[in-house]
Amino acid sequence: MDIKCIIIDDEVNNIENLQGILSKWCPGVTVVASADNADDGIKAIDAHKPDLIFLDIQMPEKTGFDMLKALGAINFEVIFITAFDQYGIQAIKFSALDYLLKPVDVADVQQAVEKARARIATRKQNLSVENLLEFMRRAQTAEAPKIALPTMQETRYVKVDDIIRCEAADNYSTVFINDGDSMLVCKTLKEFTELLKTFGFQRPHQSHLVNFRFVKSFLKEDNGTLLLHDKSKIPISRQNLDAIKKALNSMV
Protein backbone atom coordinates (compact mmCIF):
# COMPACT_ATOMS: atom_id res chain seq x y z
CA MET A 1 0.00 0.00 0.00
CA ASP A 2 1.38 3.39 -1.04
CA ILE A 3 1.40 6.15 1.59
CA LYS A 4 1.42 9.89 0.85
CA CYS A 5 3.17 11.81 3.60
CA ILE A 6 4.10 15.37 4.55
CA ILE A 7 7.00 16.44 6.78
CA ILE A 8 6.50 19.53 8.94
CA ASP A 9 9.62 20.67 10.78
CA ASP A 10 11.18 24.11 11.27
CA GLU A 11 14.69 22.79 10.59
CA VAL A 12 15.37 22.17 6.89
CA ASN A 13 18.21 19.73 7.57
CA ASN A 14 15.84 17.58 9.65
CA ILE A 15 13.37 17.50 6.75
CA GLU A 16 16.08 16.50 4.29
CA ASN A 17 17.42 13.81 6.64
CA LEU A 18 13.98 12.26 7.14
CA GLN A 19 13.24 12.43 3.41
CA GLY A 20 16.45 10.50 2.76
CA ILE A 21 15.56 7.82 5.32
CA LEU A 22 12.04 7.40 3.95
CA SER A 23 13.26 7.22 0.35
CA LYS A 24 15.92 4.61 1.10
CA TRP A 25 14.42 2.55 3.90
CA CYS A 26 10.63 2.86 3.67
CA PRO A 27 9.38 1.62 0.27
CA GLY A 28 5.90 2.77 -0.69
CA VAL A 29 6.16 6.01 1.29
CA THR A 30 6.18 9.14 -0.88
CA VAL A 31 6.88 12.60 0.52
CA VAL A 32 4.43 14.80 -1.40
CA ALA A 33 5.27 18.05 0.43
CA SER A 34 7.15 19.59 3.34
CA ALA A 35 6.74 22.74 5.42
CA ASP A 36 8.87 24.57 7.97
CA ASN A 37 6.01 26.13 9.97
CA ALA A 38 2.50 25.30 11.13
CA ASP A 39 0.61 27.64 8.77
CA ASP A 40 2.35 26.29 5.68
CA GLY A 41 1.81 22.80 7.07
CA ILE A 42 -1.95 23.36 7.15
CA LYS A 43 -1.88 24.60 3.54
CA ALA A 44 0.10 21.51 2.46
CA ILE A 45 -2.36 19.20 4.22
CA ASP A 46 -5.33 20.89 2.55
CA ALA A 47 -3.66 20.68 -0.86
CA HIS A 48 -2.36 17.10 -0.75
CA LYS A 49 -4.68 15.27 1.69
CA PRO A 50 -1.90 13.00 3.01
CA ASP A 51 -2.24 9.61 4.67
CA LEU A 52 0.51 10.45 7.16
CA ILE A 53 2.35 13.47 8.52
CA PHE A 54 5.63 13.70 10.41
CA LEU A 55 5.12 16.65 12.74
CA ASP A 56 7.69 18.55 14.79
CA ILE A 57 6.23 19.56 18.15
CA GLN A 58 8.47 22.50 19.00
CA MET A 59 8.26 25.09 16.25
CA PRO A 60 8.37 28.89 16.56
CA GLU A 61 5.10 30.85 16.69
CA LYS A 62 2.87 27.75 16.59
CA THR A 63 3.70 24.30 17.94
CA GLY A 64 2.70 21.05 16.29
CA PHE A 65 -0.13 20.76 18.82
CA ASP A 66 -1.35 24.26 17.86
CA MET A 67 -1.40 23.22 14.23
CA LEU A 68 -3.50 20.13 14.92
CA LYS A 69 -5.97 22.20 16.95
CA ALA A 70 -6.39 24.56 13.99
CA LEU A 71 -7.38 21.77 11.60
CA GLY A 72 -11.05 20.96 11.14
CA ALA A 73 -10.68 17.19 10.82
CA ILE A 74 -7.75 14.81 11.25
CA ASN A 75 -8.04 12.34 8.37
CA PHE A 76 -4.44 11.14 8.53
CA GLU A 77 -2.01 9.44 10.87
CA VAL A 78 0.53 11.50 12.82
CA ILE A 79 4.08 10.62 13.85
CA PHE A 80 5.48 13.32 16.09
CA ILE A 81 9.12 14.40 15.92
CA THR A 82 10.64 16.04 18.96
CA ALA A 83 13.71 16.75 20.96
CA PHE A 84 13.29 15.53 24.52
CA ASP A 85 10.26 17.21 26.03
CA GLN A 86 8.74 15.35 28.95
CA TYR A 87 5.29 16.94 28.74
CA GLY A 88 4.97 16.43 25.00
CA ILE A 89 6.11 12.82 25.13
CA GLN A 90 3.78 12.05 28.03
CA ALA A 91 0.80 13.51 26.13
CA ILE A 92 1.69 11.46 23.05
CA LYS A 93 2.07 8.24 25.05
CA PHE A 94 -1.26 8.84 26.79
CA SER A 95 -2.89 9.06 23.36
CA ALA A 96 -1.20 5.88 22.05
CA LEU A 97 0.48 7.78 19.22
CA ASP A 98 3.98 7.35 17.82
CA TYR A 99 6.89 9.76 18.18
CA LEU A 100 10.50 9.96 17.08
CA LEU A 101 13.25 11.56 19.11
CA LYS A 102 15.75 13.78 17.32
CA PRO A 103 18.08 12.84 15.78
CA VAL A 104 15.80 10.24 14.20
CA ASP A 105 16.97 6.65 13.88
CA VAL A 106 16.35 4.52 10.76
CA ALA A 107 14.95 1.55 12.70
CA ASP A 108 12.63 3.79 14.72
CA VAL A 109 11.33 5.45 11.54
CA GLN A 110 10.68 2.08 9.91
CA GLN A 111 8.84 0.79 12.97
CA ALA A 112 6.68 3.91 13.26
CA VAL A 113 5.85 3.81 9.53
CA GLU A 114 4.75 0.16 9.69
CA LYS A 115 2.44 0.94 12.62
CA ALA A 116 1.00 3.87 10.66
CA ARG A 117 0.61 1.68 7.57
CA ALA A 118 -1.52 -0.81 9.51
CA ARG A 119 -3.72 1.96 10.94
CA ILE A 120 -4.13 3.58 7.50
CA ALA A 121 -5.20 0.24 5.98
CA THR A 122 -7.75 -0.26 8.77
CA ARG A 123 -9.09 3.29 8.36
CA LYS A 124 -9.49 2.85 4.60
CA GLN A 125 -11.27 -0.46 5.13
CA ASN A 126 -13.58 1.24 7.63
CA LEU A 127 -14.39 3.89 5.02
CA SER A 128 -15.24 1.14 2.54
CA VAL A 129 -17.59 -0.52 5.02
CA GLU A 130 -19.18 2.86 5.83
CA ASN A 131 -19.74 3.43 2.12
CA LEU A 132 -21.36 0.00 1.80
CA LEU A 133 -23.82 0.80 4.59
CA GLU A 134 -24.48 4.25 3.10
CA PHE A 135 -25.14 2.65 -0.31
CA MET A 136 -27.69 0.29 1.23
CA ARG A 137 -29.36 3.14 3.12
CA ARG A 138 -29.60 5.32 0.03
CA ALA A 139 -30.98 2.39 -2.01
CA GLN A 140 -33.95 2.31 0.35
CA THR A 141 -34.57 6.05 -0.02
CA ALA A 142 -33.89 6.28 -3.79
CA GLU A 143 -30.97 8.66 -3.18
CA ALA A 144 -27.95 8.39 -5.47
CA PRO A 145 -25.13 6.65 -3.57
CA LYS A 146 -21.41 7.36 -3.46
CA ILE A 147 -19.01 5.26 -5.51
CA ALA A 148 -15.43 4.42 -4.52
CA LEU A 149 -12.93 5.69 -7.11
CA PRO A 150 -9.53 4.04 -6.51
CA THR A 151 -6.59 5.99 -7.98
CA MET A 152 -2.87 5.28 -7.64
CA GLN A 153 -2.69 7.67 -4.68
CA GLU A 154 -6.01 7.28 -2.86
CA THR A 155 -9.60 6.08 -2.93
CA ARG A 156 -12.10 8.90 -3.31
CA TYR A 157 -15.80 8.57 -2.55
CA VAL A 158 -17.92 10.58 -4.98
CA LYS A 159 -21.68 10.89 -5.40
CA VAL A 160 -22.83 9.16 -8.56
CA ASP A 161 -24.86 12.26 -9.46
CA ASP A 162 -21.64 14.32 -9.47
CA ILE A 163 -19.97 12.22 -12.19
CA ILE A 164 -20.34 13.83 -15.60
CA ARG A 165 -18.69 11.14 -17.68
CA CYS A 166 -16.03 8.43 -17.85
CA GLU A 167 -13.53 7.96 -20.65
CA ALA A 168 -11.51 4.83 -21.41
CA ALA A 169 -7.75 5.00 -20.84
CA ASP A 170 -6.41 1.50 -21.62
CA ASN A 171 -7.12 -0.60 -18.50
CA TYR A 172 -8.04 2.55 -16.55
CA SER A 173 -10.71 5.22 -16.89
CA THR A 174 -10.62 8.98 -16.58
CA VAL A 175 -13.56 10.15 -14.48
CA PHE A 176 -14.77 13.75 -14.86
CA ILE A 177 -16.51 15.32 -11.85
CA ASN A 178 -19.05 18.14 -11.73
CA ASP A 179 -16.68 20.37 -9.72
CA GLY A 180 -14.25 20.49 -12.67
CA ASP A 181 -11.90 17.84 -11.27
CA SER A 182 -10.88 14.66 -13.08
CA MET A 183 -8.94 11.59 -12.02
CA LEU A 184 -7.41 8.45 -13.50
CA VAL A 185 -9.21 5.55 -11.81
CA CYS A 186 -8.12 1.93 -11.56
CA LYS A 187 -11.28 0.54 -13.19
CA THR A 188 -12.06 -0.24 -16.83
CA LEU A 189 -14.88 1.49 -18.68
CA LYS A 190 -16.66 -1.86 -18.85
CA GLU A 191 -16.68 -2.03 -15.04
CA PHE A 192 -18.08 1.51 -14.80
CA THR A 193 -20.75 0.66 -17.38
CA GLU A 194 -21.96 -2.26 -15.27
CA LEU A 195 -21.83 -0.24 -12.04
CA LEU A 196 -23.60 2.86 -13.35
CA LYS A 197 -26.09 1.61 -15.93
CA THR A 198 -29.00 1.82 -13.45
CA PHE A 199 -28.15 5.43 -12.55
CA GLY A 200 -28.88 7.10 -15.90
CA PHE A 201 -25.51 6.47 -17.58
CA GLN A 202 -25.35 5.57 -21.27
CA ARG A 203 -22.44 4.45 -23.45
CA PRO A 204 -22.66 6.34 -26.75
CA HIS A 205 -19.23 5.16 -27.86
CA GLN A 206 -16.86 2.35 -26.90
CA SER A 207 -14.55 4.89 -25.24
CA HIS A 208 -17.19 6.97 -23.45
CA LEU A 209 -19.79 6.58 -20.70
CA VAL A 210 -22.05 9.58 -20.06
CA ASN A 211 -24.33 10.63 -17.22
CA PHE A 212 -27.42 11.75 -19.14
CA ARG A 213 -28.24 14.29 -16.41
CA PHE A 214 -25.45 16.40 -17.96
CA VAL A 215 -26.49 16.13 -21.61
CA LYS A 216 -27.30 19.60 -22.96
CA SER A 217 -28.12 18.80 -26.56
CA PHE A 218 -27.79 16.40 -29.48
CA LEU A 219 -25.63 17.80 -32.28
CA LYS A 220 -26.12 16.53 -35.83
CA GLU A 221 -22.46 16.94 -36.71
CA ASP A 222 -20.49 13.86 -37.80
CA ASN A 223 -22.58 10.77 -37.01
CA GLY A 224 -24.14 12.52 -34.03
CA THR A 225 -22.54 14.11 -31.01
CA LEU A 226 -23.62 14.76 -27.43
CA LEU A 227 -22.91 18.23 -26.06
CA LEU A 228 -22.60 18.18 -22.28
CA HIS A 229 -23.07 21.00 -19.79
CA ASP A 230 -19.29 21.21 -19.24
CA LYS A 231 -19.02 21.94 -23.02
CA SER A 232 -17.37 18.62 -23.79
CA LYS A 233 -18.47 16.86 -26.97
CA ILE A 234 -18.91 13.08 -26.94
CA PRO A 235 -19.02 11.13 -30.22
CA ILE A 236 -21.77 8.59 -30.89
CA SER A 237 -20.87 5.40 -32.74
CA ARG A 238 -23.13 4.19 -35.56
CA GLN A 239 -24.10 1.02 -33.72
CA ASN A 240 -25.17 3.01 -30.64
CA LEU A 241 -26.97 5.86 -32.41
CA ASP A 242 -30.49 4.41 -32.26
CA ALA A 243 -30.16 3.44 -28.59
CA ILE A 244 -28.87 6.91 -27.69
CA LYS A 245 -31.69 8.66 -29.56
CA LYS A 246 -34.22 6.43 -27.79
CA ALA A 247 -32.66 7.26 -24.42
CA LEU A 248 -32.75 10.98 -25.24
CA ASN A 249 -36.42 10.81 -26.31
CA SER A 250 -37.33 9.08 -23.04
CA MET A 251 -35.98 12.09 -21.15
CA VAL A 252 -38.43 14.49 -22.80
Short mmCIF file of all heavy atoms in Angstrom, two decimals, residues 16 36 39 64 73 88 93 98 101 111 113 133 143-144 171 177-178 182 198 201 216 220-221 230 242 246:
data_model
loop_
_atom_site.label_atom_id
_atom_site.label_comp_id
_atom_site.label_asym_id
_atom_site.label_seq_id
_atom_site.Cartn_x
_atom_site.Cartn_y
_atom_site.Cartn_z
N GLU A 16 15.29 17.19 5.31
CA GLU A 16 16.08 16.50 4.29
C GLU A 16 16.57 15.14 4.80
O GLU A 16 16.57 14.16 4.05
CB GLU A 16 17.28 17.37 3.89
CG GLU A 16 16.86 18.65 3.15
CD GLU A 16 18.03 19.57 2.88
OE1 GLU A 16 19.13 19.33 3.46
OE2 GLU A 16 17.86 20.53 2.10
N ASP A 36 8.02 24.26 6.83
CA ASP A 36 8.87 24.57 7.97
C ASP A 36 8.13 25.40 9.04
O ASP A 36 8.76 25.95 9.93
CB ASP A 36 10.15 25.28 7.53
CG ASP A 36 9.88 26.61 6.81
OD1 ASP A 36 8.71 27.05 6.78
OD2 ASP A 36 10.84 27.19 6.29
N ASP A 39 1.55 27.09 9.75
CA ASP A 39 0.61 27.64 8.77
C ASP A 39 0.81 27.02 7.39
O ASP A 39 -0.16 26.66 6.71
CB ASP A 39 0.74 29.17 8.70
CG ASP A 39 0.21 29.86 9.95
OD1 ASP A 39 -0.63 29.25 10.64
OD2 ASP A 39 0.65 30.99 10.23
N GLY A 64 3.42 22.08 17.01
CA GLY A 64 2.70 21.05 16.29
C GLY A 64 1.31 20.83 16.85
O GLY A 64 0.35 20.59 16.11
N ALA A 73 -10.58 18.64 10.65
CA ALA A 73 -10.68 17.19 10.82
C ALA A 73 -9.31 16.57 10.61
O ALA A 73 -8.52 17.03 9.78
CB ALA A 73 -11.68 16.61 9.84
N GLY A 88 5.43 16.83 26.32
CA GLY A 88 4.97 16.43 25.00
C GLY A 88 4.96 14.93 24.83
O GLY A 88 3.99 14.36 24.33
N LYS A 93 2.20 9.61 24.54
CA LYS A 93 2.07 8.24 25.05
C LYS A 93 0.66 7.99 25.59
O LYS A 93 0.09 6.91 25.39
CB LYS A 93 3.10 7.99 26.16
CG LYS A 93 4.52 7.81 25.64
CD LYS A 93 5.47 7.52 26.79
CE LYS A 93 6.88 7.22 26.29
NZ LYS A 93 7.81 6.96 27.43
N ASP A 98 2.55 7.58 17.98
CA ASP A 98 3.98 7.35 17.82
C ASP A 98 4.76 8.66 17.81
O ASP A 98 4.24 9.69 17.38
CB ASP A 98 4.26 6.59 16.52
CG ASP A 98 3.92 5.12 16.64
OD1 ASP A 98 4.32 4.51 17.65
OD2 ASP A 98 3.26 4.59 15.74
N LEU A 101 12.36 10.61 18.46
CA LEU A 101 13.25 11.56 19.11
C LEU A 101 14.35 11.99 18.14
O LEU A 101 14.88 11.17 17.38
CB LEU A 101 13.89 10.93 20.36
CG LEU A 101 12.99 10.77 21.59
CD1 LEU A 101 13.74 10.02 22.68
CD2 LEU A 101 12.53 12.13 22.10
N GLN A 111 9.84 1.36 12.07
CA GLN A 111 8.84 0.79 12.97
C GLN A 111 7.60 1.67 13.05
O GLN A 111 6.46 1.18 13.00
CB GLN A 111 9.45 0.60 14.36
CG GLN A 111 8.53 -0.10 15.36
CD GLN A 111 9.18 -0.30 16.71
OE1 GLN A 111 10.02 0.49 17.14
NE2 GLN A 111 8.83 -1.38 17.39
N VAL A 113 6.54 3.83 10.82
CA VAL A 113 5.85 3.81 9.53
C VAL A 113 5.00 2.56 9.39
O VAL A 113 3.86 2.62 8.90
CB VAL A 113 6.86 3.92 8.36
CG1 VAL A 113 6.21 3.53 7.03
CG2 VAL A 113 7.42 5.33 8.27
N LEU A 133 -22.61 0.56 3.80
CA LEU A 133 -23.82 0.80 4.59
C LEU A 133 -24.59 2.01 4.06
O LEU A 133 -25.83 2.00 4.02
CB LEU A 133 -23.45 0.99 6.06
CG LEU A 133 -22.79 -0.21 6.75
CD1 LEU A 133 -22.38 0.16 8.16
CD2 LEU A 133 -23.72 -1.41 6.75
N GLU A 143 -32.02 7.66 -3.01
CA GLU A 143 -30.97 8.66 -3.18
C GLU A 143 -29.81 8.05 -3.95
O GLU A 143 -29.52 6.86 -3.83
CB GLU A 143 -30.46 9.12 -1.81
CG GLU A 143 -31.43 9.92 -0.99
CD GLU A 143 -30.78 10.34 0.33
OE1 GLU A 143 -29.85 11.16 0.27
OE2 GLU A 143 -31.20 9.84 1.38
N ALA A 144 -29.13 8.87 -4.76
CA ALA A 144 -27.95 8.39 -5.47
C ALA A 144 -26.82 8.13 -4.46
O ALA A 144 -26.53 8.98 -3.63
CB ALA A 144 -27.50 9.40 -6.50
N ASN A 171 -6.46 0.18 -19.56
CA ASN A 171 -7.12 -0.60 -18.50
C ASN A 171 -7.60 0.27 -17.35
O ASN A 171 -7.98 -0.24 -16.29
CB ASN A 171 -6.18 -1.69 -17.97
CG ASN A 171 -5.94 -2.78 -18.99
OD1 ASN A 171 -6.85 -3.14 -19.74
ND2 ASN A 171 -4.72 -3.28 -19.05
N ILE A 177 -15.59 14.99 -12.93
CA ILE A 177 -16.51 15.32 -11.85
C ILE A 177 -17.11 16.70 -12.08
O ILE A 177 -16.51 17.56 -12.73
CB ILE A 177 -15.78 15.28 -10.49
CG1 ILE A 177 -14.99 13.98 -10.34
CG2 ILE A 177 -16.77 15.42 -9.32
CD1 ILE A 177 -15.81 12.73 -10.39
N ASN A 178 -18.30 16.90 -11.53
CA ASN A 178 -19.05 18.14 -11.73
C ASN A 178 -18.34 19.39 -11.20
O ASN A 178 -18.65 20.50 -11.61
CB ASN A 178 -20.43 18.01 -11.08
CG ASN A 178 -21.39 19.09 -11.52
OD1 ASN A 178 -21.24 19.66 -12.60
ND2 ASN A 178 -22.38 19.39 -10.69
N SER A 182 -10.89 15.94 -12.37
CA SER A 182 -10.88 14.66 -13.08
C SER A 182 -9.79 13.80 -12.47
O SER A 182 -8.84 14.31 -11.87
CB SER A 182 -10.63 14.85 -14.58
OG SER A 182 -9.34 15.40 -14.80
N THR A 198 -27.68 1.58 -14.05
CA THR A 198 -29.00 1.82 -13.45
C THR A 198 -29.14 3.24 -12.89
O THR A 198 -30.16 3.56 -12.29
CB THR A 198 -29.27 0.81 -12.31
OG1 THR A 198 -28.25 0.94 -11.31
CG2 THR A 198 -29.29 -0.62 -12.84
N PHE A 201 -26.71 6.37 -16.74
CA PHE A 201 -25.51 6.47 -17.58
C PHE A 201 -25.71 5.67 -18.86
O PHE A 201 -26.25 4.56 -18.84
CB PHE A 201 -24.27 5.96 -16.84
CG PHE A 201 -23.75 6.91 -15.79
CD1 PHE A 201 -24.43 7.10 -14.59
CD2 PHE A 201 -22.57 7.62 -16.00
CE1 PHE A 201 -23.95 7.97 -13.62
CE2 PHE A 201 -22.08 8.49 -15.04
CZ PHE A 201 -22.77 8.67 -13.85
N LYS A 216 -26.67 18.32 -22.63
CA LYS A 216 -27.30 19.60 -22.96
C LYS A 216 -28.07 19.53 -24.27
O LYS A 216 -29.20 20.02 -24.39
CB LYS A 216 -26.25 20.70 -23.03
CG LYS A 216 -26.82 22.10 -23.25
CD LYS A 216 -25.71 23.15 -23.20
CE LYS A 216 -26.29 24.55 -23.38
NZ LYS A 216 -25.22 25.58 -23.34
N LYS A 220 -26.02 17.37 -34.62
CA LYS A 220 -26.12 16.53 -35.83
C LYS A 220 -24.81 16.46 -36.60
O LYS A 220 -24.78 15.92 -37.71
CB LYS A 220 -27.25 17.05 -36.72
CG LYS A 220 -28.62 16.93 -36.07
CD LYS A 220 -29.73 17.43 -36.99
CE LYS A 220 -31.08 17.28 -36.32
NZ LYS A 220 -32.19 17.77 -37.18
N GLU A 221 -23.76 17.00 -36.03
CA GLU A 221 -22.46 16.94 -36.71
C GLU A 221 -21.90 15.52 -36.66
O GLU A 221 -22.20 14.75 -35.75
CB GLU A 221 -21.47 17.92 -36.06
CG GLU A 221 -21.21 17.67 -34.60
CD GLU A 221 -20.40 18.78 -33.95
OE1 GLU A 221 -20.71 19.97 -34.18
OE2 GLU A 221 -19.46 18.44 -33.21
N ASP A 230 -20.66 20.71 -19.45
CA ASP A 230 -19.29 21.21 -19.24
C ASP A 230 -18.62 21.57 -20.57
O ASP A 230 -17.42 21.78 -20.63
CB ASP A 230 -18.45 20.21 -18.47
CG ASP A 230 -18.19 18.92 -19.24
OD1 ASP A 230 -18.83 18.72 -20.30
OD2 ASP A 230 -17.35 18.12 -18.80
N ASP A 242 -29.06 4.61 -32.50
CA ASP A 242 -30.49 4.41 -32.26
C ASP A 242 -30.79 4.32 -30.76
O ASP A 242 -31.78 4.90 -30.29
CB ASP A 242 -30.98 3.14 -32.97
CG ASP A 242 -31.03 3.32 -34.49
OD1 ASP A 242 -31.02 4.48 -34.95
OD2 ASP A 242 -31.07 2.29 -35.20
N LYS A 246 -33.09 6.94 -28.59
CA LYS A 246 -34.22 6.43 -27.79
C LYS A 246 -34.10 6.89 -26.34
O LYS A 246 -35.09 7.30 -25.73
CB LYS A 246 -34.25 4.90 -27.87
CG LYS A 246 -35.43 4.26 -27.18
CD LYS A 246 -35.44 2.76 -27.36
CE LYS A 246 -36.62 2.13 -26.63
NZ LYS A 246 -36.62 0.63 -26.81
#
